[in-house]
Amino acid sequence: MDAAGIILADNAAGLLEELTQHRTLAAVPFGAKYRQIDFSLSNLVNANISSVGIIMGQQYDSVMHHVQSGAEWDLDRKNGGLRYLPPLSSAGSVLPNGSRLQTLRNNAFYIRQLTEKYIVFCGTGYIGSIDFAALVQDHIDKKADVTCLFCRNVVNMTPLYQRIGLVTANDDRIVSFDPTQAEALISEMTMNTAVIEREKLLALLDSLNNNPRGLTPLEQLQEMINMNKIYAHFSDEMVIYLEDLPSYLSASLALLDYDVRAQLFHAPSGPVITKTKDSPATRYGKNAKVVNSMVADGAVIEGEVRNSIIFRGARIKKNAIVENSVVMQDSTVGEGARLNYAVLDKEVIINDGRLLSGYLTHPFLCSKGDRI
Amino acid sequence: MSERKQIVAMLLAGGQGSRLVPLTKTTAKPAVPFGGKYRIIDFPLSNCINSDIDTVGVLTQYQPLELNDYLGRGEPWDMNLKFGGMHVLPPYEGEKGAEWFLGTANAIYQNLRFIRRYNPKYVLILSGDHIYKMDYRIMLEEHIRNEADCTISVIDVPLEEASRFGIMTTDSTGRITEFQEKPAKPNSTLASMGVYIFSTDKLIQYLNEDELDPHSDSDFGKNVIPRMLKAGERMFAYLYGGYWKDVGTLSSFWAANMDALGDVPELFLNDPAWKIYYRHGFTHPEFMGEDACVSNSIIGDGGSLLGTVKDSVIFSDVAVRKDVEIGDSVVMAQTDVGEGARVDHAIIAENVSIGEGSRIGGPLEDESELTVIGPNICIPAGCVIEPGRIIASAADLEPLNTAKQKGGK
């Protein structure tokens, strides 16, 4: 595939409350052994994209620690491969600092260095196994300037989600956006994922340097839509959104659905790859009881687990009952403790006999390293 | 990056493992899967890296394809180094023609050039068919302290089992005075674990001597060790007190897997301070279904478990379908256990398909013999495999089916 990938891992902190206090959205643990960025990286690699830049904002330590050299994704290459793009000095910038365009312009040096014809931008606000090769092919077939990915199959749609009013022509060319008409018009979810020819992107970044007529961002966008052939690529692949803490819990529990697992983990585009931990096989004690749950390797289950997601190295001790909850890596639930609708970040210790309960709309959250 | 290594390990991984057939039908014994996640060779390799030994020559010979793929450049064990690291050493053609490895000692002799490249003071000789977690550094310290020429790691075995092993007799300082290979009347209960540390000069000297002896089988236990002992070299036993099991037979292989189970397992695989490293697949976490029932078991990932599993070791990507009952068994990766099937006291190898309602083996509590199904076998629905049967190929199933049909008429 003559394309390079750029992962936009620079989301502002705090989207998922304490889960994103110390890590960017891309590093949020999900699905018992993954982090969000595993899905982005796997989607790119499964489309035979072997040059990947990761644009990072604040709190990028956990992304770097997780992805490291990119060896797990075969991205530790002499030519191409993985490139970290940490925030650079933005002296002399025209656009407000922190805007995505400014970030891209800051990283134009990397985009110039690439030799691939196309660039696939990849957002980090969603979980999905999506065929990026089909996206790029669609872009080439339509001779588009920009092709944006939209998804019709969102697992955990809640009223919180911002839909955009997308107005398209018959051939899926985007005519305009009309946020005020979001409900009435085709309202797909934006995914921050798009394809553009590399040379065009560089030209575009240059042209946006000057905005002599003082247009608003929406006016600028409309002008771009008028002047360029911007197409929508509608994917039928399933997508799970990570928007806030309740959606994180519901998204996690959605994995207990067979179809969701099948679409995520057995997608024709390829497997979801993550960092290996050399965990031993999951250990179940004599009185363990585990139903309708997803359990990663390295976990030790001696108590009861229902409708829950248990990460690598987590420990559920005797007579503990964990229901409708997410227990992240290396957390321990003590003897006789009970959890219901709880989200335990990494390395949390719930002492013996504690009772913690939230609700689907208000999960009980324990931050990394908490001891209760 | 220094010019030399203090110690280099040589791992004998060429064994055919004829007593492990059908598990070794198409793969070398060290590549046989073990403990839900691993292959046998992960244990000595992980012991090496955990003992700060980062240079290992792996001598392969029998069915090396799968083993070579698995070893790669040694990256799972952090042994993909520029100086040192893991090297696969297959038999090769030299100036005087090609030669197979004729015995354990000859295999090392043929690869002395590899050892010399690192100019080590000591050479550690290991086997690829033992399950144990051992810090070789402690043994090396003893070797150095004793100013030994050779140190042999031993375990204390029950007297009635001693005749299965190479048995050492030692004096009060631990110096070996006598060596008996599988003696009918053992003089001691210290059994060789097949783990040797040699001072490199002595190793080279005795391998050269062994090569010149036309009557030698070129075997460490049979030839090299007795020759050194006879010559009065300083040979010491290092008594190892931890878990160690030779998994050379189907029953000992099954038993070693079972040793990994229990609240306080004999073979503790969850020790973060002594990780066993392995090559990973891209498996997703295990899904446990509504009617899943699992106790006292270890289970890999990537599969779904909808039935009942007790006292068993289940590998990755295994489908345990509805109403399945598995007890006291080892079920390897990619195997599909069809609805309503029952598996007791059995080893089911990789990529086996067990048809719906089949019955494999008999309960352990009824003292049923171990039943073994080899890799890639397809067991038809409703099939009954009697306890003690070993199914190595589809042909082994033929008379069974016919008998069943005749019985049906």
Side-chain angles (χ1 to χ4, degrees), chain A residues 5-10 24 26-27 35 37-38 41 51-57 59-73 75-76 80-88 103 106-107 109-111 113-114 275:
Chain A
I6 292 183
I7 296 178
L8 305 165
D10 58 339
T24 167
R35 292 185 187 247
I37 199 168
D38 293 337
L41 284 167
S51 291
V52 177
I54 302 180
I55 292 186
M56 302 185 294
Q59 313 283 20
Y60 56 76
D61 171 70
S62 46
V63 168
M64 291 187 75
H65 185 63
H66 179 72
V67 180
Q68 290 183 332
S69 67
E72 306 284 2
W73 297 267
L75 287 173
D76 53 338
L82 189 74
R83 176 73 169 259
Y84 289 107
L85 302 166
L88 298 172
T103 311
N106 289 344
N107 289 298
F109 74 97
Y110 170 69
I111 297 165
Q113 256 174 37
L114 293 168
K275 181 179 169 181

Side-chain angles (χ1 to χ4, degrees), chain B residues 270-285:
Chain B
N270 291 50
D271 183 359
W274 203 267
K275 261 191 188 178
I276 305 301
Y277 299 92
Y278 57 93
R279 187 176 289 279
H280 295 245
F282 306 129
T283 47
H284 58 74

Side-chain angles (χ1 to χ4, degrees), chain A residues 1 3 43-44 47 49 118-122 126 130-142 144 146-150 191-196 231-235 237:
Chain A
M1 179 69 55
N43 287 338
L44 289 167
I49 291 171
Y118 302 98
I119 305 273
V120 179
F121 284 105
C122 184
Y126 62 95
I130 295 168
D131 186 352
F132 281 4
L135 168 69
V136 176
Q137 197 53 53
D138 195 20
H139 176 84
I140 296 170
D141 291 347
K142 285 182 177 146
V146 182
T147 304
C148 302
L149 178 67
F150 293 89
M191 329 240 317
N192 271 328
T193 298
V195 188
I196 184 167
Y231 280 84
H233 174 81
F234 296 103
S235 151
E237 284 132 333

Side-chain angles (χ1 to χ4, degrees), chain A residues 145-167:
Chain A
D145 293 321
V146 182
T147 304
C148 302
L149 178 67
F150 293 89
C151 185
R152 288 174 162 145
N153 185 2
V154 177
V155 173
N156 57 341
M157 190 75 86
T158 77
L160 275 169
Y161 297 123
Q162 264 196 350
R163 294 171 173 220
I164 51 163
L166 181 66
V167 187

